[in-house]
Amino acid sequence: MSSKPDLSVERRKQILEAAESVFARLGINRARMDDIVAEAGLSKGTLYWYFKSKDAIIAALIERVFAGEMREAEELVSADGSASERLSIFMRPAVHEIRRFENLMSLGYEFVALASRRSVVRETIRGYYRRYHRILSQIIQQGLDSGEFGPLDPDDAALAAIGLVEGIALLWFVDPELVNWDTLEHNALKVLLDGFRRRAT
Amino acid sequence: MSSKPDLSVERRKQILEAAESVFARLGINRARMDDIVAEAGLSKGTLYWYFKSKDAIIAALIERVFAGEMREAEELVSADGSASERLSIFMRPAVHEIRRFENLMSLGYEFVALASRRSVVRETIRGYYRRYHRILSQIIQQGLDSGEFGPLDPDDAALAAIGLVEGIALLWFVDPELVNWDTLEHNALKVLLDGFRRRAT
Amino acid sequence: MSSKPDLSVERRKQILEAAESVFARLGINRARMDDIVAEAGLSKGTLYWYFKSKDAIIAALIERVFAGEMREAEELVSADGSASERLSIFMRPAVHEIRRFENLMSLGYEFVALASRRSVVRETIRGYYRRYHRILSQIIQQGLDSGEFGPLDPDDAALAAIGLVEGIALLWFVDPELVNWDTLEHNALKVLLDGFRRRAT
Amino acid sequence: MSSKPDLSVERRKQILEAAESVFARLGINRARMDDIVAEAGLSKGTLYWYFKSKDAIIAALIERVFAGEMREAEELVSADGSASERLSIFMRPAVHEIRRFENLMSLGYEFVALASRRSVVRETIRGYYRRYHRILSQIIQQGLDSGEFGPLDPDDAALAAIGLVEGIALLWFVDPELVNWDTLEHNALKVLLDGFRRRAT
DNA sequence: TATGAATGAGTCTTCATTCAT
DNA sequence: CATGAATGAAGACTCATTCAT
């Protein structure tokens, strides 16, 4: 309806996308404000009109990087299927999914490194992982309730699940050849789920 | 011959320790050569006598950070005990162990982020994880041979094991409260080993 | 004709008052056009509609700062009373008078400093002091004519009178404790007038 | 004796002299660090090695500008001659004296303007004037003690003396034609001293 | 080997001014 | 007349690296 649907939101998005691209390509340090400006097709002044500083851009980007996909995961809690199946869906960071974030992973690790020095960064990332952890705990609890899973602490198990996925992602980032995505689900991830399952002792 | 066997080695170590401390505290970016110089109690010229550049220090540090413990792990391959027991030993990054590296973790993630842009960094870190992976694969293969483990791909299983440990370390780094080290071994890590074990179907 | 006689004059005044306040508070340098705009409650475009540039505002302000009171002083020339009395009135920058300009003094000294580099500023301030000087010279001449004052050069005496007032104002600005306004008139200023008076040698 | 008589002191002086010259020529605002660097014949890095910031240079300059000549004035307290004579010496800012500072006056007024916003500046300038004030008070007190001066408050009288000199300097700075240095001593300054003197009522 | 003053290209950031709406 | 987003030239300051002593 309105012909000016908050251009500000548009501009900020434009800048963040440019920054994300530049940061991913060059790293936060080597990325110059001029690079971002060029990538965004804006002037330096305009960039600073929307973001007070490079740090402000970094802060905003952290939320972008550590925010996506949460909705999908949250839907899993109330989705149909066995707990195993749903966990499997969560832990299956299918190739095409991960590839989507390939460029962002480097940036993500820079942010993680930053977490120990900047409380804002730390809290943002914490919030992200805590949400994830709660979701998985719930699903695992459902598996316990239904007798599908053997005796285990749902919080520790959820930790293992997220850890497994994050750890494999890290290894893949460092050395793609180490990770065979085709067999991963039926092997690496499966063993964890097998470990969850009730065992007919 | 002389009683000054290698002052050079001594000095380099002195510098790297100072750099490690400064990098861990400030991050690679914010760390100034002057900070390292001050921490090491040397002069700027002396530092540059031993290291050509800041990048040279970074490169040398990566080896320091991604090199420890390997010997211990390698001994596990030919050690006594069941495969499960030995894997358990590997995956038990006991509190005091991890805590030793607490300050270095931030630096480690900076290096990981760097891996996508600097091949030297990448290769160093890859070498580290490949050695680890091979060790675990061997142990798991031993477990397969002895019938202790059920049918699984030893490479993928080893990937899962390293991934789990690295992932939990990352989560702990970001949010220590998420990780309960006391119950971890009997819960999070155990589920993986349970998944490895042959199941009396 | 219209009931909107001169909104322009109104707006300019509004802007200059805002600028005066901001300049006095922050100094000409640190004062931003945005500060003035905010203080005036206008938009940037509007400000630039009325003043071509920051320099234009500065120029206009100089006149404001170096313009007040002149009428009062001019009336002294043709006022009743002895020359001494009238000079005394001029030189008595009563507390409440000076206090009124307290905030402006800093700005005034910035303008004075500017005088050596900008001829427009210089001429404005010169005009101000010349008018003052002429007025005092006239009054002193009247004192000479009436035999009230001893032999002296009216121009130099007027210079001394203005100098004394301006100098004390400067000292007060820098260090208020140095100036005791209560006794000032009966001491500091009186000695000058005493010096003017014919001495029964 | 030593071949390196604190080069640091030398360099700082070199920088301050360059800065003084540039500031006087362009004003503090328009003066660029690059101008100072060029004037001093140094590199930018070197300038910043000795002065942390432009403000640090300004602060150091204020002391330079408001520090000279004090010794001469202090000697007047214990010098020979009548109080009048000695005051006359103080107040005679002979042309060649003032001219020496002609270029600095603009800078001086910038500093005075700054005094209201920066306490360090304020205190430095205050210290300067207070020393002056004390010296003159003492001389005037000597004049009172010897019966040379009539009844007056020495503090207020000293204030008048300094004010007169500073005020005339300001007027001269703004409008040199207003001040006739040749007749000044025998006219403008003399009236003040006449005002001080005991009058045979 | 050791020192630390010197260098200057490179950065982030500011802010007076403009102009399409 | 009014608005405020957009511009980009300019400026203060940094810091890895060098080199004369």
Short mmCIF file of all heavy atoms in Angstrom, two decimals, chain B residues 91-134:
data_model
loop_
_atom_site.label_atom_id
_atom_site.label_comp_id
_atom_site.label_asym_id
_atom_site.label_seq_id
_atom_site.Cartn_x
_atom_site.Cartn_y
_atom_site.Cartn_z
N MET B 91 38.03 -40.15 24.20
CA MET B 91 36.95 -39.16 24.16
C MET B 91 36.71 -38.46 25.48
O MET B 91 35.86 -37.59 25.59
CB MET B 91 35.66 -39.83 23.70
CG MET B 91 35.75 -40.31 22.24
SD MET B 91 34.12 -40.62 21.57
CE MET B 91 33.58 -41.92 22.63
N ARG B 92 37.43 -38.86 26.46
CA ARG B 92 37.22 -38.25 27.75
C ARG B 92 38.14 -37.04 27.93
O ARG B 92 39.19 -37.13 28.53
CB ARG B 92 37.47 -39.27 28.85
CG ARG B 92 37.15 -38.76 30.25
CD ARG B 92 37.84 -39.62 31.29
NE ARG B 92 37.55 -41.03 31.07
CZ ARG B 92 38.41 -42.01 31.35
NH1 ARG B 92 39.59 -41.75 31.85
NH2 ARG B 92 38.08 -43.27 31.14
N PRO B 93 37.73 -35.97 27.38
CA PRO B 93 38.58 -34.77 27.54
C PRO B 93 38.33 -34.21 28.92
O PRO B 93 37.63 -33.22 29.09
CB PRO B 93 38.07 -33.84 26.45
CG PRO B 93 36.72 -34.37 26.04
CD PRO B 93 36.46 -35.65 26.74
N ALA B 94 38.89 -34.90 29.86
CA ALA B 94 38.61 -34.57 31.25
C ALA B 94 38.75 -33.08 31.51
O ALA B 94 39.51 -32.38 30.84
CB ALA B 94 39.56 -35.35 32.16
N VAL B 95 37.97 -32.67 32.44
CA VAL B 95 37.93 -31.25 32.76
C VAL B 95 39.32 -30.64 32.79
O VAL B 95 39.62 -29.69 32.09
CB VAL B 95 37.24 -31.04 34.12
CG1 VAL B 95 37.13 -29.55 34.41
CG2 VAL B 95 35.87 -31.69 34.11
N HIS B 96 40.17 -31.23 33.59
CA HIS B 96 41.50 -30.63 33.73
C HIS B 96 42.24 -30.58 32.40
O HIS B 96 43.07 -29.71 32.19
CB HIS B 96 42.32 -31.38 34.77
CG HIS B 96 42.45 -32.83 34.51
ND1 HIS B 96 43.46 -33.35 33.76
CD2 HIS B 96 41.66 -33.88 34.88
CE1 HIS B 96 43.32 -34.67 33.70
NE2 HIS B 96 42.22 -35.02 34.37
N GLU B 97 41.92 -31.46 31.51
CA GLU B 97 42.56 -31.44 30.21
C GLU B 97 42.10 -30.24 29.38
O GLU B 97 42.87 -29.46 28.86
CB GLU B 97 42.24 -32.73 29.44
CG GLU B 97 43.22 -33.87 29.69
CD GLU B 97 44.63 -33.47 29.30
OE1 GLU B 97 44.81 -33.04 28.14
OE2 GLU B 97 45.54 -33.58 30.14
N ILE B 98 40.79 -30.17 29.26
CA ILE B 98 40.20 -29.09 28.49
C ILE B 98 40.54 -27.73 29.09
O ILE B 98 40.92 -26.80 28.40
CB ILE B 98 38.66 -29.25 28.43
CG1 ILE B 98 38.27 -30.31 27.41
CG2 ILE B 98 38.00 -27.93 28.07
CD1 ILE B 98 38.19 -29.82 25.99
N ARG B 99 40.42 -27.65 30.39
CA ARG B 99 40.70 -26.39 31.06
C ARG B 99 42.10 -25.88 30.72
O ARG B 99 42.33 -24.69 30.63
CB ARG B 99 40.60 -26.59 32.59
CG ARG B 99 39.17 -26.73 33.09
CD ARG B 99 38.54 -25.37 33.38
NE ARG B 99 37.08 -25.43 33.29
CZ ARG B 99 36.30 -25.87 34.27
NH1 ARG B 99 36.79 -26.23 35.43
NH2 ARG B 99 34.99 -25.91 34.09
N ARG B 100 43.00 -26.82 30.53
CA ARG B 100 44.36 -26.43 30.17
C ARG B 100 44.38 -25.62 28.89
O ARG B 100 45.27 -24.80 28.66
CB ARG B 100 45.23 -27.67 29.99
CG ARG B 100 46.29 -27.85 31.05
CD ARG B 100 47.13 -29.07 30.80
NE ARG B 100 47.87 -29.03 29.56
CZ ARG B 100 48.38 -30.12 28.94
NH1 ARG B 100 48.18 -31.32 29.46
NH2 ARG B 100 49.05 -29.99 27.82
N PHE B 101 43.40 -25.92 28.04
CA PHE B 101 43.40 -25.26 26.73
C PHE B 101 42.34 -24.18 26.62
O PHE B 101 42.17 -23.59 25.56
CB PHE B 101 43.20 -26.30 25.64
CG PHE B 101 44.30 -27.32 25.63
CD1 PHE B 101 44.05 -28.64 25.98
CD2 PHE B 101 45.58 -26.95 25.29
CE1 PHE B 101 45.07 -29.58 26.00
CE2 PHE B 101 46.61 -27.88 25.30
CZ PHE B 101 46.35 -29.19 25.65
N GLU B 102 41.68 -23.95 27.71
CA GLU B 102 40.59 -22.98 27.68
C GLU B 102 41.00 -21.68 26.97
O GLU B 102 40.32 -21.20 26.08
CB GLU B 102 40.13 -22.66 29.10
CG GLU B 102 38.96 -21.70 29.12
CD GLU B 102 38.29 -21.68 30.49
OE1 GLU B 102 38.77 -22.36 31.41
OE2 GLU B 102 37.27 -20.97 30.61
N ASN B 103 42.14 -21.16 27.37
CA ASN B 103 42.57 -19.90 26.78
C ASN B 103 42.93 -20.02 25.30
O ASN B 103 42.89 -19.04 24.57
CB ASN B 103 43.80 -19.37 27.53
CG ASN B 103 43.45 -18.99 28.95
OD1 ASN B 103 42.32 -18.56 29.21
ND2 ASN B 103 44.40 -19.16 29.86
N LEU B 104 43.28 -21.22 24.92
CA LEU B 104 43.70 -21.40 23.53
C LEU B 104 42.54 -21.65 22.58
O LEU B 104 42.70 -21.55 21.37
CB LEU B 104 44.67 -22.57 23.44
CG LEU B 104 46.06 -22.27 23.98
CD1 LEU B 104 46.97 -23.45 23.75
CD2 LEU B 104 46.63 -21.04 23.29
N MET B 105 41.39 -21.99 23.13
CA MET B 105 40.30 -22.36 22.24
C MET B 105 39.91 -21.22 21.31
O MET B 105 39.68 -21.42 20.12
CB MET B 105 39.11 -22.85 23.06
CG MET B 105 39.43 -24.18 23.74
SD MET B 105 37.95 -24.96 24.41
CE MET B 105 37.13 -25.47 22.90
N SER B 106 39.83 -20.05 21.88
CA SER B 106 39.48 -18.90 21.05
C SER B 106 40.46 -18.79 19.88
O SER B 106 40.07 -18.61 18.72
CB SER B 106 39.53 -17.63 21.90
OG SER B 106 39.52 -16.50 21.08
N LEU B 107 41.72 -18.92 20.20
CA LEU B 107 42.75 -18.86 19.16
C LEU B 107 42.55 -19.98 18.15
O LEU B 107 42.66 -19.78 16.94
CB LEU B 107 44.12 -18.97 19.83
CG LEU B 107 45.36 -18.75 18.97
CD1 LEU B 107 45.26 -17.47 18.17
CD2 LEU B 107 46.60 -18.74 19.85
N GLY B 108 42.20 -21.16 18.66
CA GLY B 108 41.97 -22.30 17.77
C GLY B 108 40.87 -22.02 16.77
O GLY B 108 41.01 -22.32 15.57
N TYR B 109 39.78 -21.40 17.22
CA TYR B 109 38.69 -21.12 16.30
C TYR B 109 39.08 -20.03 15.30
O TYR B 109 38.63 -20.03 14.16
CB TYR B 109 37.41 -20.76 17.05
CG TYR B 109 36.85 -21.96 17.77
CD1 TYR B 109 36.72 -21.99 19.16
CD2 TYR B 109 36.49 -23.10 17.06
CE1 TYR B 109 36.24 -23.10 19.81
CE2 TYR B 109 36.01 -24.23 17.71
CZ TYR B 109 35.90 -24.23 19.09
OH TYR B 109 35.44 -25.35 19.72
N GLU B 110 39.93 -19.15 15.72
CA GLU B 110 40.42 -18.16 14.75
C GLU B 110 41.22 -18.87 13.66
O GLU B 110 41.12 -18.54 12.48
CB GLU B 110 41.29 -17.12 15.45
CG GLU B 110 40.52 -16.17 16.32
CD GLU B 110 41.28 -14.86 16.54
OE1 GLU B 110 41.39 -14.07 15.59
OE2 GLU B 110 41.77 -14.65 17.67
N PHE B 111 41.98 -19.83 14.07
CA PHE B 111 42.77 -20.58 13.09
C PHE B 111 41.85 -21.37 12.15
O PHE B 111 42.08 -21.42 10.95
CB PHE B 111 43.72 -21.53 13.80
CG PHE B 111 44.88 -20.83 14.45
CD1 PHE B 111 45.55 -21.40 15.53
CD2 PHE B 111 45.31 -19.59 14.00
CE1 PHE B 111 46.63 -20.77 16.13
CE2 PHE B 111 46.39 -18.94 14.61
CZ PHE B 111 47.04 -19.53 15.67
N VAL B 112 40.83 -21.97 12.73
CA VAL B 112 39.90 -22.72 11.90
C VAL B 112 39.27 -21.80 10.86
O VAL B 112 39.16 -22.14 9.68
CB VAL B 112 38.81 -23.39 12.77
CG1 VAL B 112 37.67 -23.90 11.90
CG2 VAL B 112 39.41 -24.52 13.58
N ALA B 113 38.86 -20.62 11.32
CA ALA B 113 38.26 -19.67 10.39
C ALA B 113 39.25 -19.30 9.29
O ALA B 113 38.90 -19.12 8.12
CB ALA B 113 37.82 -18.41 11.14
N LEU B 114 40.50 -19.24 9.70
CA LEU B 114 41.55 -18.87 8.76
C LEU B 114 41.79 -19.96 7.71
O LEU B 114 42.29 -19.69 6.61
CB LEU B 114 42.85 -18.66 9.56
CG LEU B 114 43.75 -17.48 9.21
CD1 LEU B 114 42.94 -16.21 9.09
CD2 LEU B 114 44.82 -17.33 10.28
N ALA B 115 41.43 -21.15 8.07
CA ALA B 115 41.75 -22.30 7.22
C ALA B 115 41.21 -22.15 5.79
O ALA B 115 41.83 -22.60 4.83
CB ALA B 115 41.21 -23.58 7.85
N SER B 116 40.06 -21.50 5.68
CA SER B 116 39.46 -21.41 4.35
C SER B 116 40.19 -20.41 3.47
O SER B 116 39.98 -20.36 2.26
CB SER B 116 37.99 -21.01 4.46
OG SER B 116 37.89 -19.71 4.99
N ARG B 117 41.07 -19.61 4.06
CA ARG B 117 41.73 -18.58 3.26
C ARG B 117 43.23 -18.78 3.14
O ARG B 117 43.85 -18.23 2.25
CB ARG B 117 41.46 -17.20 3.88
CG ARG B 117 40.07 -16.68 3.56
CD ARG B 117 39.87 -15.27 4.06
NE ARG B 117 39.78 -15.23 5.53
CZ ARG B 117 38.67 -15.49 6.20
NH1 ARG B 117 37.57 -15.80 5.56
NH2 ARG B 117 38.66 -15.44 7.51
N ARG B 118 43.79 -19.58 4.01
CA ARG B 118 45.23 -19.76 3.95
C ARG B 118 45.56 -21.24 3.90
O ARG B 118 45.37 -21.98 4.87
CB ARG B 118 45.87 -19.17 5.21
CG ARG B 118 45.46 -17.74 5.42
CD ARG B 118 46.63 -16.82 5.39
NE ARG B 118 46.30 -15.58 6.04
CZ ARG B 118 47.16 -14.86 6.72
NH1 ARG B 118 48.43 -15.28 6.83
NH2 ARG B 118 46.79 -13.74 7.29
N SER B 119 46.12 -21.63 2.80
CA SER B 119 46.35 -23.05 2.59
C SER B 119 47.31 -23.62 3.62
O SER B 119 47.16 -24.78 4.04
CB SER B 119 46.85 -23.31 1.18
OG SER B 119 48.04 -22.58 0.97
N VAL B 120 48.27 -22.85 4.06
CA VAL B 120 49.22 -23.38 5.06
C VAL B 120 48.48 -23.72 6.34
O VAL B 120 48.68 -24.79 6.93
CB VAL B 120 50.32 -22.34 5.37
CG1 VAL B 120 51.38 -22.99 6.24
CG2 VAL B 120 50.94 -21.81 4.09
N VAL B 121 47.62 -22.82 6.75
CA VAL B 121 46.84 -23.07 7.94
C VAL B 121 45.98 -24.31 7.74
O VAL B 121 45.91 -25.21 8.59
CB VAL B 121 45.93 -21.85 8.25
CG1 VAL B 121 45.03 -22.16 9.43
CG2 VAL B 121 46.78 -20.62 8.50
N ARG B 122 45.34 -24.33 6.59
CA ARG B 122 44.44 -25.44 6.29
C ARG B 122 45.18 -26.77 6.37
O ARG B 122 44.72 -27.72 7.01
CB ARG B 122 43.85 -25.24 4.90
CG ARG B 122 42.76 -26.24 4.55
CD ARG B 122 41.95 -25.78 3.34
NE ARG B 122 42.75 -25.39 2.20
CZ ARG B 122 42.78 -24.17 1.68
NH1 ARG B 122 42.02 -23.22 2.18
NH2 ARG B 122 43.53 -23.90 0.64
N GLU B 123 46.31 -26.82 5.76
CA GLU B 123 47.04 -28.09 5.72
C GLU B 123 47.49 -28.52 7.10
O GLU B 123 47.48 -29.71 7.43
CB GLU B 123 48.23 -27.98 4.76
CG GLU B 123 47.83 -27.87 3.29
CD GLU B 123 46.79 -28.91 2.89
OE1 GLU B 123 46.93 -30.09 3.33
OE2 GLU B 123 45.83 -28.57 2.18
N THR B 124 47.89 -27.57 7.89
CA THR B 124 48.33 -27.92 9.24
C THR B 124 47.19 -28.53 10.05
O THR B 124 47.34 -29.57 10.70
CB THR B 124 48.85 -26.66 9.98
OG1 THR B 124 49.94 -26.12 9.24
CG2 THR B 124 49.31 -27.01 11.38
N ILE B 125 46.05 -27.86 9.99
CA ILE B 125 44.92 -28.35 10.76
C ILE B 125 44.43 -29.69 10.19
O ILE B 125 44.07 -30.60 10.94
CB ILE B 125 43.79 -27.30 10.77
CG1 ILE B 125 44.31 -26.00 11.40
CG2 ILE B 125 42.59 -27.82 11.54
CD1 ILE B 125 43.28 -24.91 11.49
N ARG B 126 44.43 -29.79 8.88
CA ARG B 126 44.03 -31.06 8.27
C ARG B 126 44.93 -32.18 8.74
O ARG B 126 44.46 -33.28 9.10
CB ARG B 126 44.14 -30.97 6.75
CG ARG B 126 42.92 -30.39 6.13
CD ARG B 126 43.00 -30.46 4.62
NE ARG B 126 41.91 -29.66 4.08
CZ ARG B 126 41.73 -29.44 2.80
NH1 ARG B 126 42.57 -29.93 1.91
NH2 ARG B 126 40.70 -28.72 2.40
N GLY B 127 46.22 -31.95 8.73
CA GLY B 127 47.16 -32.98 9.16
C GLY B 127 46.82 -33.45 10.57
O GLY B 127 46.82 -34.65 10.87
N TYR B 128 46.49 -32.50 11.39
CA TYR B 128 46.15 -32.82 12.78
C TYR B 128 44.94 -33.75 12.85
O TYR B 128 44.99 -34.81 13.46
CB TYR B 128 45.87 -31.50 13.52
CG TYR B 128 45.32 -31.66 14.91
CD1 TYR B 128 46.16 -31.91 15.99
CD2 TYR B 128 43.95 -31.53 15.14
CE1 TYR B 128 45.64 -32.04 17.27
CE2 TYR B 128 43.44 -31.65 16.41
CZ TYR B 128 44.29 -31.90 17.48
OH TYR B 128 43.78 -32.02 18.74
N TYR B 129 43.88 -33.34 12.19
CA TYR B 129 42.66 -34.14 12.28
C TYR B 129 42.80 -35.48 11.55
O TYR B 129 42.21 -36.47 11.93
CB TYR B 129 41.45 -33.36 11.74
CG TYR B 129 40.96 -32.36 12.75
CD1 TYR B 129 40.96 -31.00 12.48
CD2 TYR B 129 40.48 -32.78 13.99
CE1 TYR B 129 40.51 -30.07 13.42
CE2 TYR B 129 40.03 -31.87 14.93
CZ TYR B 129 40.05 -30.52 14.64
OH TYR B 129 39.60 -29.63 15.57
N ARG B 130 43.60 -35.52 10.51
CA ARG B 130 43.78 -36.79 9.79
C ARG B 130 44.52 -37.80 10.65
O ARG B 130 44.20 -38.99 10.65
CB ARG B 130 44.51 -36.55 8.48
CG ARG B 130 43.59 -35.92 7.46
CD ARG B 130 44.22 -35.77 6.10
NE ARG B 130 43.20 -35.20 5.19
CZ ARG B 130 43.42 -34.94 3.92
NH1 ARG B 130 44.61 -35.21 3.37
NH2 ARG B 130 42.45 -34.45 3.18
N ARG B 131 45.50 -37.32 11.36
CA ARG B 131 46.21 -38.24 12.25
C ARG B 131 45.25 -38.81 13.28
O ARG B 131 45.20 -40.00 13.55
CB ARG B 131 47.35 -37.49 12.96
CG ARG B 131 48.68 -37.57 12.21
CD ARG B 131 49.73 -36.77 12.97
NE ARG B 131 49.36 -35.36 13.03
CZ ARG B 131 49.80 -34.51 13.95
NH1 ARG B 131 50.61 -34.93 14.90
NH2 ARG B 131 49.43 -33.24 13.91
N TYR B 132 44.47 -37.89 13.84
CA TYR B 132 43.50 -38.33 14.83
C TYR B 132 42.53 -39.34 14.23
O TYR B 132 42.22 -40.37 14.84
CB TYR B 132 42.70 -37.13 15.35
CG TYR B 132 43.08 -36.77 16.76
CD1 TYR B 132 43.31 -35.46 17.14
CD2 TYR B 132 43.18 -37.78 17.74
CE1 TYR B 132 43.67 -35.13 18.43
CE2 TYR B 132 43.53 -37.45 19.04
CZ TYR B 132 43.78 -36.13 19.39
OH TYR B 132 44.13 -35.83 20.66
N HIS B 133 42.06 -39.02 13.08
CA HIS B 133 41.08 -39.87 12.43
C HIS B 133 41.64 -41.26 12.18
O HIS B 133 40.98 -42.28 12.41
CB HIS B 133 40.63 -39.22 11.11
CG HIS B 133 39.49 -39.92 10.46
ND1 HIS B 133 39.66 -40.75 9.37
CD2 HIS B 133 38.17 -39.94 10.74
CE1 HIS B 133 38.49 -41.23 9.00
NE2 HIS B 133 37.55 -40.75 9.82
N ARG B 134 42.87 -41.30 11.73
CA ARG B 134 43.47 -42.60 11.43
C ARG B 134 43.60 -43.45 12.70
O ARG B 134 43.30 -44.63 12.71
CB ARG B 134 44.85 -42.41 10.79
CG ARG B 134 45.41 -43.75 10.27
CD ARG B 134 46.64 -43.56 9.39
NE ARG B 134 46.53 -42.37 8.55
CZ ARG B 134 47.32 -41.30 8.67
NH1 ARG B 134 48.28 -41.27 9.58
NH2 ARG B 134 47.17 -40.28 7.85
#
